[in-house]
Structures are given as structure tokens and as C-alpha cells.
Amino acid sequence: MKAEITSMLPFTAEDFLSPTGERIVADRYLLKDVKKETLQPGSLVVAVIDKKRALHELAKVVELKPEQRLATVELRDGFQVELSYDHIDVLKETAPRQMWRRIAKGAAEVTKDPKKWEEKFYQLQSGWKYVPGGRINASMGTGIKTTSYNCFVIPNVGPTPRDYANSFGQTLEIQARSGGVGMNLSQVPPQGTLVPVSEKSRKAELQLVLDVWHADLLDFLAEDYKNSTKVVRVNSEFLRAVEEGSTWTFYFPDHEIEGYDDNWTGNLEAWREKGLPVKQGETHSAEELYAKILESGAVVVQDLIGVTLVPGDRRGTIANTLADMWEAMMEGKRVSVVLSSLRPRYSYVRGVNGRSSGAYTWGQLFDKGNQVFGQGFGPVGVGEIMSVGCQLTLQGGSRRGALMLILNDKHADIRKFISCKQVDGVITGANISVGVSEEFMEAKKHGEKWTLGYPDISEMQEFNGDFQEWEAAGRKLNISEEISAADMWDEMMESAWKSAEPGVVFMGRYNYMSNSHYFNKIVATNPCGEQGLPAYGICNLGAVVLSQFTMGFEDSGQKANFADKEKEAYIRQQLLKHFPEEQAEFFLHHIKWEELEVTTRTGLRFQDAIIDATYYPFEENRKNQMNERRVGLGIMGLHDLLIHCGVKYGSEESMQLIDVLMGMMAEWCYLESVELAKENGPFPVFAAEKFLQSGYMKQMAAEKPHVVEAIKKYGIRNVTTMTVAPTGTTGKQQLPPMPVTA
């Protein structure tokens, strides 16, 4: 008996995917019909099967009940479930090839010959030879204000609670538009500096309030807020329903109408008085609902007194409310935060192709904010706030936000930061790394002591987080501790062994190697760590699928022939530096070098076009990127290529082949960027002599001097051209349908 892998999407041989790849591309990348105008029996949809766990599955519509806005959908395994229209996304694109056409058209529109480059950009992606970064797949050509950049770094987090909230707001804005964020926490004063550390519970200092009409009420009652008091605000209408034994229906303003942001203040009565539409939620027995409220332990009130804050329903107002809460607490005041203004769980968020995590979930942010206030802030506390925000951001599909937190190696709290993740539940929504300086590595090498500290609190506004720069300028640190550099290094390694973090980012070495060393200092990396970036720095990604450029397995008997004999001789020469003649000849004709070059060069042009074609969440991002035009072309399928070549991954032989392979790709990328400079001019802040003094370009000069000569003569369009990023969800390559015998 034979069983075949079945697909729900109408694939062809050009764009076929495995079931896992099919689900991922449908959920995260294919364009959705947000208004559900095309919804009908037979429609392919992404169904939200479990709201709590954000579980999404590809399904087909079986039956519709338009009056109740309900749809019965069938999953791949035949299981059927009835869902609200609000919990299904209709696929407007139903195959990767449609996505490729949309992306190619969107990117080509900014070129001098859109028709020519649309076809080239389509062929670039066709057959999974090259895969754009996930954010390009999800955004390019859609008209939606999401970003095509995976990688962002915001300016260093400033020293005051208002600064923490402002950085938090920037992070939310970027993550809501599907970018990942990195930041440096080194300007944040040590724990207990701004606010004393408190040992007592702060539950009474913060009330989290939800109105009885809000659709998230039951989830709110079930949520465990460890650092605040849970309050349900009831009204006379609800109390009457309880007394009369009638039902109670949840409501919320229709957040999809034009003017919602301008009219919604969190007051449902005022909204209704304006005659504006509301969405009806579930209906329950009022008496049973009241019993659940009392059983939950929530305080029941009709009116609030004291400092009452309403966070609105926008990312900026949520961040401002967090700052207002902290400042009120610094004045010794108790605070009530009314969560009712925030839309219910899984409501669609217009303009950013995402969904709300829910009012009750945002309560976790203010609850954590109260906790870190009581713990005296510090980099770990501020990191916890950023981490919670990251977990609360639901981007397009089931994707969560991504975050990297970095603290430089001389900060007074660095040892607390190094070990923080050994405590369960601390900073669970972010990666953390230590920013390691050249000076620290020298101290470790020579068995020297290493001092930790922070400037005097009166000087914190003048400090930019660079301890070496501060001391070099003759400024003093308040030294908090002296430790052996080797012992501190061991602490980092032990913590990484115990909890998989922190990572280390060699910040001093990074800036020495960086092509932007002379005008844009690297301050942090993106969440996955592959891209060091300056303040407001961004980078788009794409990956050449190396496994598509071989003649199959080692014993296939197939050979790749060159059309260009000079190119063949040049690559042979590169291979002969590392391999004996017979082996060099095998690699020369088993890898499709010429096709790989075309794909690499076209990929570089494609990613450069994305710079001009995409939306920018912040003007500062746009200005910075237009100045340096940073792109990161990378790879996937390297292990497959090595297997095809009969080379063991990690062997000395593999290192030598990778050296040739990546050396050629780097050469092609930099030379293609030179070609772009000839056509459009170099990036605006290019200065040949300074650019060529970077550690990377010095290495290029030693290995490939003709590339450096071309840059000297014509300039270069992009400050960087390559980065090797992880490709987890975009790495679902073409798989042929394989019959399985049972």
C-alpha cells in the first residue's frame, strides 16, 4: 500500500513544499484577504485553532454561517472545527509562485527598468534557488505598512524610567511591523541607584482594572498577576442583570472602522453615544459570571479613586502609560491602570498585519513594571520589561517578536546580567549577550584584574554606555567591584553552559572590522546575532540555497561545464590553493559556479532594491539606511552541498571548500555592489580611504586585491553586502513528493 504526501496548496514542481513548509509559508508569508471578501466554501484559510498558544493550521472552508459569522473548516487530517470569522485568515495568495511574483514586482518598481528586473527577481526566487528574508516575503508588494527588514538596532536605552519606556515604545513599534530589535543597556544605572530595592510586596501599589463588559474578562479572571491587585469594575446594568437572573453579553468597539484611533478613549458609553458600532462577544449568565468574579479573588468596584491611567489602544500610548505609572510611583502614589481600552485577544490590528495579544495579557506588562520598580530597576530589570513586551507582540501569522539585549563588560551590574537567566522565568522573551571589549580580552590574556563600575549618577545623562571612551576622555567611574578577568570569563562560560546564555559579542573587534567604523559605531546586534548595527541601523536579509547548485550526490556522474573559460581557470586556481588537482577538478565541475554567481549577484541587486521599495517604521531608520545602504545576503543548504560533494561537515576539508565558496560569493557581492555604484553612485557617506581601512577590507585587500582596486576606482553602493543569518522558517526547501511504502 502506498501513501503519498498530500498538499493543500496547489503546488507545481516549481514551488513544491513539504507539509511543514506549506504550513509555515501559508501562515507567515502568503498574502491574506483581510476583509474576507473572497471567503466562500472551498476557500483556503489559516485557522487559529488555539488562541492561548497561538496555534495556527492550514485549513479548507467546508461551510459558512454568515449570520453568526461562523465557518466550519477542515484541517489536513480531516478534522473539522467551527470558528468565528475573526479566527480565520483567508489566503489571497495560495502558492509560493504567486508570492514570488508579488515580491518581484514590488522590488522592481524602484529600478530603472521595472519590467526587466521583475522577471529577473522572479527567476531569482523560482525553484527555491534564493529565499528572501521572512520580512520581505511577508511585506514586499503588499501595500501594508510592515517592514521588509528583519534586523533593527535602536539607540542605547537611556538612564531614566521615561527613557526605558521610550525605548520600549520604539521596540513595540518595530516588532508590531515584524522587525526584530537589538539594544544596548549599558547606559542604565545599576540596580537600586534611581529607586531603592524594596523587600516587601507591592501588590497594593498597583491595581489592574478591567470593565465587566470587556470580552477578555474570563481570561483576566484566570490570569495570575503576582505583583498587582486584580480589579473588576462593574456597572449598574450588570448588577441589575445579576439581580434579575438575566444574561450578560460582552462588547467592544468595532476597532476595524475608520476613525477608531481618534474616537476610542476607553469609555464604552461615550462611544455608543456617538452612534459608533460595537462588536458583540460571548453571552453568559450574569449570575454565574458574577460568581466567577468573586471566586477569582478580584476586587469588585463601581468607581476608581486616586491616580488612574488609561493606556489607550496604541503602542505609543501603552509605552507612555508605563512611564506615567513609574513616575507616579516615584512620587509615592498608588496607581490604577484600566486595561479596558485595549482590544480583546486576537483582534485584528489594521495596518500592521498582526493581531492583539489581548487586554488581559498587556496586564502582564504593568504587573512586571511594578515588580522591577520594587527591585530598583537596573539593566536586568529593564531587560525584563523589554522581554515582556516582546512576548506580548503577535506579528503576522503566529510569529512572536524577537529581541537581543546587550550589556557591556565593565558595567557594575554585569555579573548579575551574566547569571540572570539561571533563575527560572527571568528575561524569557529575549536573547542576552555581553559586549566584550578588546581591553577585557587583553586583561584576561595577561591574568589581570578587571574593574566594574558606573559614572556618578549626576553624570549619567552625559554617559553614552562606552566605558572605554569615557575613561579615555579622563572621566571617572564609581568602581563597584574588582574581579579577575579570567574569573569573569569563566562565569560567562559557566552560565552559558547552565542556561545557554549569555552569548558574547566582541564589540571592540566588531568595530575594528566594520566597514562603517569611521562614521557609524556598532552598538548592538540584531536578535539572532548575525548583524552588528549602529543606532537606528537596519539590514534586510536573503539566502542563496546552496544545495540547488550541485550536480547531485557525489556519484551522480554529472558534470557542470563552464561557458566562460576564464572564469573556469580562475575558480580552478582558487581551489588548487587548498586541494590536490583531482579533487579540485571534481569540485570545479560538481558545483554550478556560474549559476551560483548569477544568483548571488542578482540577489545582491534585489536586496539593494528593497532599500528603496520598503516602508520604514521610523524616519531615523530611513535616513540611516539611505546613508549606508546596508544589506545582508547569506546562505542556506551548506550542509546539503557538502554532502553532495562527499565532504564531512566540520572536517578540515569542509573548511577549505567553504573558504573558497564564501570567498567567491563575497567577491561577487562586492563587485556587483561596485557595478551598482557605477550606475547609481556609492552610498552617500562613502569615503574610499577610510572605508578601505576597515579590518574586513584590509583582509579583502590581502585575499582579493582586484576587488579593492575596483572599489577605489568606482566606489561601492552598500556599506556591507553579506551576513550569514539563521534561516529556520525560510529554510523549508523544495522537497519532491516521495511515495512511502507501508
Side-chain angles (χ1 to χ4, degrees), residues 379-394:
V380 174
V382 174
E384 286 224 70
I385 288 296
M386 303 302 176
S387 168
V388 169
C390 184
Q391 291 174 303
L392 294 177
T393 305
L394 288 177

Side-chain angles (χ1 to χ4, degrees), residues 324-394:
D324 293 341
M325 181 186 86
W326 282 331
E327 290 178 350
M329 287 176 172
M330 290 176 84
E331 295 173 4
K333 297 175 181 176
R334 293 181 177 181
V335 178
S336 295
V337 175
V338 182
L339 302 174
S340 307
S341 63
L342 294 154
R343 70 190 74 190
R345 173 79 169 172
Y346 252 80
S347 302
Y348 191 75
V349 182
R350 296 174 72 237
V352 297
N353 194 30
R355 290 185 179 274
S356 169
S357 58
Y360 78 96
T361 314
W362 282 108
Q364 295 172 6
L365 169 67
F366 298 101
D367 185 74
K368 179 63 73 174
N370 190 30
Q371 179 189 2
V372 302
F373 181 93
Q375 292 174 346
F377 293 117
V380 174
V382 174
E384 286 224 70
I385 288 296
M386 303 302 176
S387 168
V388 169
C390 184
Q391 291 174 303
L392 294 177
T393 305
L394 288 177

Side-chain angles (χ1 to χ4, degrees), residues 558-608:
Q558 302 296 311
K559 291 181 68 175
N561 295 312
F562 282 80
D564 186 334
K565 295 303 178 184
E566 286 187 15
K567 191 166 295 170
E568 180 179 17
Y570 178 67
I571 296 174
R572 178 184 287 113
Q573 178 190 38
Q574 301 302 308
L575 288 165
L576 286 171
K577 292 178 182 178
H578 301 283
F579 301 104
E581 186 174 348
E582 184 178 350
Q583 195 173 19
E585 285 298 315
F586 170 74
F587 292 144
L588 183 65
H589 294 290
H590 197 69
I591 296 171
K592 304 173 188 175
W593 295 97
E594 286 181 310
E595 289 183 29
L596 180 59
E597 178 178 5
V598 170
T599 299
T600 301
R601 285 178 176 265
T602 308
L604 189 281
R605 278 189 177 261
F606 169 78
Q607 289 180 231
D608 181 73

Side-chain angles (χ1 to χ4, degrees), residues 2 5 45 71 166 187 199 204 252 353 355 360 378-379 415 456 462 469 487 494 503 562 567-569 584 607 714 741:
K2 290 184 177 180
I5 297 174
V45 299
N166 288 341
Q187 283 179 253
E199 298 297 331
F252 196 81
N353 194 30
R355 290 185 179 274
Y360 78 96
R415 297 180 70 193
D456 188 82
E462 301 167 50
E469 183 180 289
D487 286 348
E494 183 179 358
F562 282 80
K567 191 166 295 170
E568 180 179 17
Q607 289 180 231
Y714 300 107
T741 302

Side-chain angles (χ1 to χ4, degrees), residues 20 37 127 143 211-212 231 252 283 308 368 421 425 450 468 515 518 600 625:
T20 301
E37 294 172 338
D211 281 291
V212 72
V231 175
F252 196 81
T283 296
T308 301
K368 179 63 73 174
K421 284 207 174 188
W450 186 249
Q468 284 72 36
N515 289 347
Y518 62 98
T600 301
Q625 181 65 327

Side-chain angles (χ1 to χ4, degrees), residues 262-280:
D262 296 326
N263 286 286
W264 177 234
T265 62
N267 187 325
L268 185 61
E269 288 183 18
W271 177 272
R272 281 173 158 165
E273 285 172 4
K274 291 181 180 179
L276 296 168
V278 296
K279 283 191 173 186
Q280 183 174 314

